[in-house]
Amino acid sequence: MSAAGAEVAVPESEPVYASYPSLRGRTSFVSGGASGLGAEFVVELAGQGARVFFVDVDAERGRALEQRLRDEGAQVRFAVCDVRDVPALQAAIATAADELGPVRVLVNNAANDHRDRVPDMDVALWDERIAVNVRHHFFAAQAVAPMMRDAGGGSIINLGSISVHIDLMDLPGYITAKAGVEGLTRTLAREYGPWHVRVNCIIPGWIMTEKQLAERVTPEAEASIERNQCLPDKLYPDDVARMVLWLAADDSRRCTAQKWVVDGGWM
Ligand SMILES: NC(=O)c1ccc[n+]([C@@H]2O[C@H](COP(=O)([O-])OP(=O)(O)OC[C@H]3O[C@@H](n4cnc5c(N)ncnc54)[C@H](O)[C@@H]3O)[C@@H](O)[C@H]2O)c1
């Protein structure tokens, strides 16, 4: 192959994906599951036969997704919950366990990447960014870990962000919180390892959700994807969901305390 040939993107074969029998009937809890990546996690977990309880502030989209999946025969339950309200989140987790059985998979996904200029930050805004982007990860994990222990183990999956590892501006609270998610992952993995509760962090690259496509993917942004990724392809929510499935399933049973980067080779 010529040196020039290696730089030419060539067509890819049609993908064939794994399925995970260990997820069948397994109760999973997803925060921020009404849209974006979270909705894809709900769909893919339900597609594996898991029982899925998801929460979001977006009642309309949450109910629509719940109805669609139920019509398809999935065991899915949606509840309106603002993850910044920790007692409400704890109550939702308790309801999930009552209705669907002990939670064995937790996907801490809800977040808000609102842009904030550094001079505009005040204490209330800073606290809000931390509350929506990392605080609930801890309290959700604290709520599910004992039920995972009693059920013989479980998997906690925290959503981090590539933004911690590349140079971005106007996201001081978000990036600080997402860096915290990585530290939280490591310490909780150590705390809960003896209970066979695994704690991992997925670091998505730039994923083409509806919101990103509508609000942020400009021609210049597309050029930066091409420049920065090793792979030429844009990434979509299902690319990250397949990592969620693997980390949720028994197939990854000896993997914990790690970062799993799904970014097309950007970092
Ligand atoms: N899309 C990307 O390119 C990308 C890149 C890196 C990391 N991530 C991370 O992946 C996860 C999902 O990202 P996304 O792009 O789908 O985000 P998104 O903003 O499109 O969706 C987030 C979901 O969380 C919900 N939500 C927001 N605030 C909430 C609250 N207070 N309580 C409950 N629900 C709330 C929203 O309604 C929405 O359904 C996030 O943790 C994000 O930080 C995404």
Side-chain angles (χ1 to χ4, degrees):
M1 185 188 295
S2 71
E7 289 160 23
V8 176
V10 296
E12 195 179 21
S13 61
E14 270 305 302
V16 180
Y17 298 123
S19 55
Y20 296 95
S22 62
L23 294 179
R24 208 166 296 137
R26 193 165 287 187
T27 301
S28 308
F29 187 98
V30 180
S31 66
S35 68
L37 291 178
E40 188 67 22
F41 303 158
V42 170
V43 168
E44 299 268 354
L45 284 162
Q48 297 293 323
R51 300 179 187 142
V52 188
F53 196 105
F54 68 105
V55 295
D56 206 291
V57 282
D58 187 339
E60 195 179 327
R61 296 184 78 168
R63 290 201 182 103
L65 180 60
E66 178 191 46
Q67 191 58 54
R68 193 190 101 201
L69 292 172
R70 282 188 172 188
D71 290 348
E72 292 168 8
Q75 291 191 72
V76 173
R77 169 95 157 73
F78 168 69
V80 178
C81 173
D82 185 331
V83 296
R84 294 170 298 182
D85 181 347
V86 169
L89 178 61
Q90 291 163 330
I93 289 169
T95 304
D98 283 348
E99 294 187 359
L100 302 180
V103 176
R104 300 283 307 277
V105 175
L106 167 67
V107 188
N108 281 321
N109 167 78
N112 193 331
D113 67 347
H114 264 309
R115 268 40 180 183
D116 299 313
R117 294 189 59 250
V118 168
D120 299 338
M121 291 298 281
D122 58 21
V123 171
L125 193 54
W126 180 265
D127 287 349
E128 196 281 335
R129 299 309 187 226
I130 299 300
V132 77
N133 290 312
V134 63
R135 188 176 68 185
H136 63 93
H137 292 59
F138 173 79
F139 287 102
Q142 185 195 52
V144 299
M147 58 180 97
M148 289 179 171
R149 172 199 61 202
D150 295 347
S155 175
I156 297 172
I157 301 164
N158 294 322
L159 270 293
S161 173
I162 191 174
S163 61
V164 173
H165 302 276
I166 60 177
D167 300 324
L168 289 181
M169 294 171 67
D170 297 335
L171 283 165
Y174 176 83
I175 290 178
T176 302
K178 288 293 184 179
V181 168
E182 293 184 24
L184 182 67
T185 298
R186 291 200 62 84
T187 191
L188 291 185
R190 187 60 64 185
E191 295 270 348
Y192 293 140
W195 294 354
H196 308 288
V197 173
R198 302 182 291 115
V199 189
N200 287 287
C201 179
I202 294 180
I203 302 200
W206 196 1
I207 313 300
M208 302 296 108
T209 60
E210 269 178 50
K211 180 174 142 188
Q212 294 295 323
L213 286 166
E215 296 178 12
R216 308 219 185 274
V217 182
T218 59
E220 299 75 49
E222 296 214 18
S224 96
I225 292 174
E226 276 176 32
R227 200 170 52 248
N228 287 299
Q229 288 185 188
C230 297
L231 298 174
D233 316 276
K234 292 203 187 77
L235 280 78
Y236 289 89
D238 61 308
D239 293 314
V240 185
R242 280 188 294 280
M243 181 61 83
V244 166
L245 293 182
W246 183 75
L247 286 172
D250 291 349
D251 299 66
S252 59
R253 65 201 283 250
R254 299 292 180 247
C255 299
T256 192
Q258 298 305 314
K259 294 192 286 244
W260 304 86
V261 182
V262 184
D263 73 345
W266 188 316
M267 268 170 62

